[in-house]
Amino acid sequence: MDFSGKTVLVTGSSRGIGLAIAHAFDNAGANIILHGRSPLKEEVISSFNKTPKTLQFDIADGEAAEEALKALYKEEAFEGIDILVNNAGITKDQLAMGMKLEDFAAVVNTNLNGTFNVTQPIFKKMIRQKHGVIINMASVVGQMGNAGQVNYSASKAGVIGMTKSLAKEGAKRNIRVNAIAPGMIVSDMTDALSDKAKEMILNEIPLSRFGTVENVADVALFLAGNDYMTGQTITVDGGLYI
């Protein structure tokens, strides 16, 4: 796919799935805007074909998100964002009976409210420019639930609902909104699991392997390029949620 001339913002793109998606769009010719809560490392920035713009703010802070995006749109010669990938998120896992209220609120505030904090100002601009693509990172646990992740599951189920509503609101202005629901993807989190825990999870996955960040990035490119898909959630989980 060729995304030459398109500008893509990927939140939470300092590593993992977000970085893989940013690299995929970069390799397809797009102009990339990276985002992180902390300053991005030079080796990340230098890994792109074209030097990307960078943004730094906490998506859970609505005012900070609005100010950063407002400043971006005011930059001379900046023509706007064509594709937004809402990838940033956090986890604070614990069984429900032992979960602190502040940990439940923190995950929902970042993953759900934070996604809206970034999306709303960009969605307004997309309405005016009469085109745009938004891809929200959900999760298979937002579809099927998971013990120890009541906060994360709730936040990602909310993202799926938000995706469907935004798709209906944006359709008449040529704005498509879809979501990706990854399953177990090779990451720092899966690397930290014990061999026993990995074996238990793999026994639940029909394809008997974890996915890669590239598997998710491929779907992001597909959703950005297919102009007759909106309001959908594409599950990338090796068959876990069958």
Side-chain angles (χ1 to χ4, degrees), residues 4-236:
S4 298
K6 302 294 184 182
T7 297
V8 183
L9 167 60
V10 185
T11 67
S13 45
S14 63
R15 61 179 181 171
I17 290 174
L19 182 57
I21 290 173
H23 276 143
F25 277 108
D26 174 58
N27 290 331
N31 304 311
I32 305 300
I33 305 172
L34 300 175
H35 160 269
R37 188 169 52 182
S38 303
L40 279 84
K41 296 179 180 179
E42 180 54 39
E43 56 261 37
V44 170
I45 297 172
S46 63
S47 66
F48 287 79
N49 296 312
K50 294 183 291 185
T51 303
K53 290 179 179 291
T54 61
L55 294 176
Q56 181 188 341
F57 60 87
D58 184 350
I59 65 169
D61 185 336
E63 290 185 5
E66 185 175 13
E67 288 302 313
L69 293 169
K70 190 179 295 183
L72 176 67
Y73 276 94
K74 285 183 178 178
E75 287 185 13
E76 188 175 354
F78 183 73
E79 296 182 356
I81 294 168
D82 301 292
I83 301 165
L84 166 64
V85 182
N86 283 305
N87 172 74
I90 64 170
T91 58
K92 288 182 180 290
D93 296 348
Q94 177 62 267
L95 291 173
M97 64 181 183
M99 182 172 289
K100 297 178 181 178
L101 291 178
E102 55 264 35
D103 287 345
F104 185 93
V107 171
V108 172
N109 193 39
T110 296
N111 297 355
L112 182 57
N113 298 359
T115 295
F116 184 74
N117 290 341
V118 176
T119 299
Q120 187 186 46
I122 295 174
F123 189 72
K124 289 178 180 178
K125 297 290 186 181
M126 288 180 171
I127 290 288
R128 295 189 187 100
Q129 67 193 27
K130 297 182 180 180
H131 71 84
V133 172
I134 298 172
I135 300 170
N136 293 324
M137 201 58 60
S139 170
V140 68
V141 304
Q143 299 170 308
M144 61 185 284
N146 192 38
Q149 290 191 305
V150 64
N151 50 2
Y152 190 74
S153 299
S155 70
K156 293 303 186 177
V159 166
I160 292 171
M162 184 191 302
T163 297
K164 294 177 182 294
S165 294
L166 285 171
K168 289 185 175 183
E169 290 186 19
K172 285 183 167 48
R173 291 285 181 158
N174 196 31
I175 300 167
R176 296 184 297 103
V177 189
N178 292 290
I180 302 174
M184 293 300 295
I185 304 299
V186 175
S187 64
D188 293 343
M189 182 182 72
T190 55
D191 289 344
L193 294 172
S194 67
D195 290 341
K196 183 178 180 180
K198 289 179 182 178
E199 184 179 356
M200 289 176 62
I201 296 169
L202 287 170
N203 286 337
E204 299 297 320
I205 301 174
L207 288 182
S208 300
R209 65 179 188 270
F210 293 161
T212 67
V213 292
E214 288 77 19
N215 292 145
V216 182
D218 287 346
V219 175
L221 287 182
F222 169 73
L223 288 174
N226 190 308
D227 65 2
Y228 201 58
M229 289 186 69
T230 195
Q232 303 304 306
T233 300
I234 307 301
T235 306
V236 186

